[in-house]
Amino acid sequence: MIKIKNISAQETYKIRLAVLRKNIDLPHKFQGDEDNNTFHLGAFNKGKQVGIASFMKNSFGDFEGSQYQLRGMATLPEVRGMGAGKMLIEEAKRILKTQGVEALWCNARKEAVGFYKNVGFQTIGEDFEVEKVGPHYKMYYLVR
Ligand SMILES: CC(C)(COP(=O)(O)OP(=O)(O)OC[C@H]1O[C@@H](n2cnc3c(N)ncnc32)[C@H](O)[C@@H]1OP(=O)(O)O)[C@@H](O)C(=O)NCCC(=O)NCCS
């Protein structure tokens, strides 16, 4: 059974490196990782860490009120499709709602857009290129 827990920034690094930085020469530590408003969630399957997601107070302008950015979302290939990704997002929605946050947004890799749509996000605007990673869409979810 998959469980979601709060984890530290340090505890996200192994899966960030293995999944999000595989063959991609970009930093795996993000600005804001250690900020007071930032929180990190981990998914655990039978005690083994299998997923990560980080949530940082950050605005991109198109919404009123408080906004959070989702960064570093990944699950290990061995658990994909088992619901770990969805559980990470659902737990974040619950936490953000209690904090009165209006919107959660992310820069979604094109191949992950279907996942984000599945968990309630919508795309906004045109696709754009992130150097060394590929095409992305801005996506958002209204928390309230
Ligand atoms: C995107 C990712 C986090 C999804 O994690 P996951 O653990 O497979 O997600 P879940 O099992 O919770 O999937 C939830 C639902 O979305 C669907 N889904 C998952 N990935 C999908 C995708 N890429 N496209 C379309 N649908 C997808 C699942 O089938 C599932 O559907 P269901 O509710 O009908 O059963 C994972 O595939 C991943 O780590 N990919 C590589 C890294 C990456 O691209 N991260 C995002 C960077 S922006």
Side-chain angles (χ1 to χ4, degrees):
M1 199 180 81
I2 292 163
K3 287 191 179 159
I4 307 299
K5 292 186 216 167
N6 282 83
I7 58 172
S8 66
Q10 285 280 343
E11 289 170 302
T12 67
Y13 295 158
K14 197 172 159 192
I15 293 179
R16 276 190 196 168
L17 279 166
V19 177
L20 297 169
R21 293 295 177 256
K22 194 178 174 189
N23 305 321
I24 297 177
D25 180 24
L26 284 173
H28 66 283
K29 296 183 182 178
F30 302 154
Q31 196 178 358
D33 265 346
E34 304 285 353
D35 283 3
N36 284 340
N37 291 320
T38 297
F39 64 95
H40 307 272
L41 297 176
F44 293 80
N45 186 29
K46 296 174 196 150
K48 181 189 174 188
Q49 193 180 341
V50 294
I52 51 167
S54 299
F55 301 86
M56 300 184 184
K57 199 168 193 311
N58 190 16
S59 299
F60 84 90
D62 282 6
F63 304 104
E64 288 179 16
S66 158
Q67 301 174 30
Y68 263 72
Q69 181 181 5
L70 161 61
R71 301 196 65 190
M73 167 92 230
T75 59
L76 294 181
E78 69 204 47
V79 298
R80 298 231 174 112
M82 286 172 57
K86 190 176 230 167
M87 287 176 72
L88 286 162
I89 299 291
E90 292 306 320
E91 175 61 3
K93 287 179 187 173
R94 193 190 62 75
I95 293 169
L96 294 170
K97 200 166 186 174
T98 64
Q99 295 181 2
V101 172
E102 296 284 316
L104 175 63
W105 64 274
C106 67
N107 293 322
R109 292 184 185 188
K110 195 175 176 186
E111 59 271 22
V113 165
F115 164 73
Y116 290 113
K117 282 189 174 162
N118 186 291
V119 295
F121 284 64
Q122 300 176 52
T123 55
I124 184 167
E126 300 294 316
D127 64 329
F128 59 95
E129 196 69 17
V130 173
E131 204 185 337
K132 298 184 185 175
V133 187
H136 282 66
Y137 284 86
K138 222 165 225 25
M139 297 189 78
Y140 70 96
Y141 171 82
L142 293 179
V143 177
R144 65 203 134 78

